[in-house]
Amino acid sequence: MKIGILSKRETGFAEKMQSYYEEKGFEVTIYTSRNLTVNKMLLENDFYILKSKQLLFLYAGYFLKANNIPVIPDPSISYKHKHRIESYYSIRNVGLNTPDIYLGTPKTIKSQFKQLDYPFIVKPLMGSSSEGIRIIKNSADFDSDENKILYIEKFIDGIHYLSYFIDKHICVGEKQPLKNEHSEVKIVPPDEDIKQALIKWRDKYNLLFGHLDMIREYKTNNLIVVDSGTFPEFTNWKIIIDPVSTICNLILERYREMANIV
Amino acid sequence: MKKLGLIIDKYHLEKKAQEFIQYMRDKCELSQYIEETYFVDYKEHNFDEDIFFVKGKGDLILNFAKLLERATDIPVINSTKGIWFAFNRFLNSTLLRKAGIRVPEFSLNPKDDKPPFQDYIVKNVRDQDNYAFDPEVQIINNHVIVHDKRALEETYEKNALYNFLYYQEYIESEFEYKIYGVGENLYYYKQKPLLREPNKMKTRTKIEPITELGEIAHKVMELLDLKITSLDFLNSDDNIYYLTDVNSTPNFNYMSNGPQIIGEYLLSQAKR
């Protein structure tokens, strides 16, 4: 069987999956932006793993799906969980809390809020890591480009959690605000509401694995989801289950279901 | 009196929509949401419009329309799905081909790779900004190679947006066929293609309906959820029509009575 992995890099989790599958006798190609051509040449593989959600890989995922080649995770779900507005609605559809969100130019944003309303977080409209994210503590912190459309969220003051799930397994760590998945975390036993949030999220979108970034707000003790992702690197997965083999096997199982192979 | 909400950017407001606005002021109550000055609060769901018309495709416009679609029962034309498919060239080509609609061969390639066809046009990956196609044409070994200047800028300039290019196979055609779709109604025009005649509008003429194009246009509008559109077709040497472009914010000033036709259609779709 031939497997394609759509990934922004050849290293990390993509490389580990490649090694795992090759040891099992599969033929695996990793497609990065340097060697990915999206046309009928791609149809030679039996199925694809959508590791990255950058636009080119999403396009490839949609193209493959339209041509009846299974893609795991599903490209539509991956897009929705990467796009901030779609993700906001996806989170709320599960009954989970989100921060208040807004769109506007620095000029319109400044005209809407008083100093007491700050701080806010600026995030790129498409993105699910910490890249391009910054805190706006007051109106002077905005860029000089007054006409640029910005997505902003109310900053939540609280404990930040990186919460992974793989099938029924959960790994939760406390992390520093605005740090990415790879920064140091302190593994903690998951609170019941964190577990329930992950289960709801997984079941609603039929996910095999993924992550949610959540904040326990100091003021209210509410759990608020601030980010989601369909395929993290699992850098801070620190429980006994091996993420690579477990995920590779889950993907194979899902592929067999999709291809009706018993 | 019905109330229409116009979601628009400054460019369309100043350059494309004045006649429409003037016409609609006598027909309905009109509110304007301008991308550069409007602030979207996703907790705010109270809108008293009977219909929204989206004239633009910028990020704020599109994501404000998403709020309206998710949080209200007010019709939004065009839908965000339609607009998104229209400006994502690769996605609409993929979907249309799957549905059996003939589109030219297309491909996404790493920026330094050669495309899989010899005669081709490099178009911008996403046709989201207000910008007219600006072609650089070369004939190399009898093959036609066309680059849209912005497509190259978006991939090769300092703050490049992409590291790949969208290629569409070049179709030689004497005329370009432009079909405007407004609800169920279609309006047919033809003109010289831009590559043959830089001032192509000078050559535009209204034509009799072409059944084959009409059937394709209705199918495209249904598939992409577009209520108002313009579709560009080329007719190859072997008399096959290829759909080359889908537009969710057509310039309806080029249709005879365009602003009136659009305005009356929108009011017919209002929720009361």
Side-chain angles (χ1 to χ4, degrees):
Chain A
M1 186 153 61
K2 291 167 83 172
I3 302 171
I5 301 176
L6 302 164
S7 171
K8 62 184 171 191
R9 59 180 77 90
E10 287 166 324
T11 54
F13 208 87
E15 187 183 29
K16 289 176 192 165
M17 285 194 293
Q18 182 182 36
S19 303
Y20 181 83
Y21 283 131
E22 283 178 347
E23 276 171 27
K24 302 274 173 199
F26 299 112
E27 199 179 315
V28 183
T29 308
I30 298 178
Y31 296 87
T32 68
S33 59
R34 280 184 288 125
N35 66 344
L36 176 59
T37 296
V38 192
N39 59 28
K40 50 194 171 197
M41 282 156 54
L42 272 190
L43 308 181
E44 63 178 20
N45 289 309
D46 293 287
F47 78 92
Y48 280 81
I49 298 169
L50 183 58
K51 176 69 184 74
S52 169
K53 290 159 292 189
Q54 286 179 353
L55 186 67
L56 176 63
F57 303 108
L58 284 173
Y59 278 154
Y62 281 112
F63 176 80
L64 291 160
K65 199 176 157 188
N67 284 284
N68 303 318
I69 303 285
V71 182
I72 303 162
D74 183 89
S76 311
I77 296 284
S78 297
Y79 167 75
K80 284 181 179 166
H81 293 180
K82 183 181 170 83
H83 188 284
R84 301 280 176 200
I85 307 300
E86 294 287 353
S87 169
Y88 168 82
Y89 285 112
S90 298
I91 294 163
R92 294 182 78 83
N93 279 345
V94 187
L96 300 173
N97 299 315
T98 58
D100 293 340
I101 67 167
Y102 312 93
L103 272 182
T105 62
K107 200 171 170 183
T108 60
I109 294 167
K110 283 184 223 173
S111 71
Q112 291 291 321
F113 296 112
K114 302 185 194 78
Q115 184 51 46
L116 277 177
D117 297 322
Y118 287 79
F120 294 99
I121 305 282
V122 175
K123 296 182 174 179
L125 209 42
M126 283 289 279
S128 63
S129 70
S130 61
E131 206 174 311
I133 293 180
R134 62 197 174 86
I135 190 160
I136 299 284
K137 291 182 180 155
N138 57 57
S139 60
D141 285 348
F142 284 106
D143 283 340
S144 53
D145 184 355
E146 291 280 300
N147 297 316
K148 191 176 171 192
I149 304 294
L150 297 179
Y151 165 91
I152 61 167
E153 292 179 0
K154 189 84 184 83
F155 176 80
I156 310 290
D157 195 13
I159 303 168
H160 289 238
Y161 295 104
L162 168 64
S163 316
Y164 295 119
F165 62 95
I166 300 175
D167 196 15
K168 59 183 187 301
H169 310 288
I170 285 171
C171 177
V172 176
E174 271 182 39
K175 66 168 196 166
Q176 293 299 307
L178 309 184
K179 295 286 184 189
N180 68 19
E181 189 208 338
H182 312 297
S183 62
E184 199 177 330
V185 303
K186 181 181 146 206
I187 300 299
V188 294
D191 294 338
E192 190 53 34
D193 57 351
I194 292 180
K195 271 194 213 167
Q196 288 308 316
L198 290 171
I199 290 168
K200 274 187 191 174
W201 181 252
R202 180 197 69 193
D203 291 352
K204 173 79 177 177
Y205 299 109
N206 196 20
L207 303 170
L208 300 172
F209 46 83
H211 81 96
L212 289 177
D213 281 1
M214 297 187 248
I215 302 173
R216 170 90 58 209
E217 190 177 29
Y218 289 133
K219 198 167 67 182
T220 61
N221 208 36
N222 285 339
L223 194 62
I224 297 164
V225 182
V226 292
D227 196 10
S228 63
T230 46
F231 213 140
E233 280 284 307
F234 293 97
T235 314
N236 276 303
W237 180 269
K238 299 275 167 61
I239 64 172
I240 197 156
I241 305 297
D242 170 46
V244 177
S245 58
T246 312
I247 284 176
C248 285
N249 287 323
L250 284 168
I251 288 174
L252 276 180
E253 218 173 285
R254 176 63 59 89
Y255 162 67
R256 288 184 179 120
E257 278 168 29
M258 292 168 84
N260 279 326
I261 299 169
V262 181
Chain B
M1 209 177 208
K2 290 177 183 175
K3 185 171 180 185
L4 181 140
L6 177 62
I7 307 173
I8 196 164
D9 55 40
K10 269 189 185 163
Y11 170 80
H12 281 96
L13 182 66
E14 288 164 9
K15 311 266 186 205
K16 310 279 182 183
Q18 284 305 312
E19 208 183 320
F20 170 77
I21 290 170
Q22 217 164 354
Y23 178 78
M24 294 307 278
R25 284 206 194 283
D26 293 336
K27 298 281 175 185
C28 66
E29 205 182 324
L30 188 67
S31 53
Q32 292 180 14
Y33 298 82
I34 302 165
E35 178 162 52
E36 289 81 355
T37 54
Y38 188 60
F39 172 79
V40 187
D41 177 347
Y42 282 80
K43 294 191 303 302
E44 177 55 62
H45 299 161
N46 293 322
F47 298 93
D48 62 356
E49 282 80 358
D50 299 296
I51 187 157
F52 280 96
F53 178 38
V54 184
K55 184 74 181 147
K57 43 195 173 177
D59 280 337
L60 186 135
I61 289 178
L62 208 55
N63 288 295
F64 173 45
K66 269 184 193 163
L67 176 154
L68 296 167
E69 287 173 341
R70 306 288 174 97
T72 78
D73 62 352
I74 306 166
V76 177
I77 292 176
N78 281 311
S79 69
T80 58
K81 176 187 164 190
I83 298 168
W84 192 71
F85 269 118
F87 74 68
N88 276 286
R89 296 182 190 281
F90 184 81
L91 290 187
N92 70 53
S93 300
T94 300
L95 187 68
L96 294 169
R97 173 163 287 175
K98 190 185 181 192
I101 291 164
R102 212 181 290 267
V103 295
E105 288 294 326
F106 59 96
S107 179
L108 287 176
N109 285 55
K111 63 181 181 182
D112 297 321
D113 271 18
K114 283 191 174 161
F117 7 88
Q118 293 183 303
D119 299 78
Y120 59 84
I121 303 183
V122 176
K123 292 186 172 179
N124 54 338
V125 173
R126 283 190 291 186
D127 190 26
Q128 195 177 2
D129 298 332
N130 298 317
Y131 167 91
F133 181 53
D134 188 3
E136 274 179 349
V137 185
Q138 295 170 285
I139 309 289
I140 299 174
N141 299 331
N142 287 326
H143 292 296
V144 180
I145 295 172
V146 184
H147 291 96
D148 179 16
K149 285 182 192 159
R150 187 180 52 171
L152 298 183
E153 283 167 17
E154 287 178 344
T155 302
Y156 285 103
E157 293 227 323
K158 193 178 163 199
N159 296 316
L161 293 173
Y162 311 110
N163 48 12
F164 55 95
L165 290 167
Y166 172 81
Y167 293 90
Q168 188 180 72
E169 189 173 29
Y170 174 74
I171 307 287
E172 180 66 30
S173 176
E174 189 182 357
F175 291 103
E176 179 180 270
Y177 296 81
K178 184 114 187 149
I179 313 298
Y180 290 93
V182 184
E184 288 298 307
N185 296 320
L186 301 176
Y187 304 86
Y188 298 73
Y189 296 83
K190 76 174 182 183
Q191 63 209 18
K192 292 279 184 192
L194 185 67
L195 301 183
R196 285 176 176 245
E197 171 53 65
N199 187 2
K200 64 177 184 177
M201 293 312 296
K202 197 176 70 181
T203 68
R204 178 176 284 194
T205 53
K206 198 162 196 256
I207 56 171
E208 289 300 312
I210 298 170
T211 310
E212 184 184 347
L213 291 186
E215 285 168 3
I216 299 172
H218 279 132
K219 197 169 171 185
V220 172
M221 290 174 77
E222 192 183 336
L223 265 172
L224 303 185
D225 196 25
L226 288 167
K227 307 288 186 212
I228 295 174
T229 188
S230 73
L231 305 173
D232 296 345
F233 293 88
L234 294 174
N235 186 232
S236 65
D237 292 342
D238 44 355
N239 199 28
I240 292 171
Y241 288 106
Y242 289 87
L243 175 58
T244 58
D245 268 304
V246 178
N247 192 345
S248 64
T249 52
N251 185 350
F252 40 73
N253 296 319
Y254 290 137
M255 292 163 65
S256 26
N257 298 322
Q260 292 91 322
I261 291 169
I262 300 285
E264 295 303 329
Y265 171 71
L266 290 169
L267 293 179
S268 76
Q269 299 299 302
K271 71 174 187 175
R272 69 178 168 107

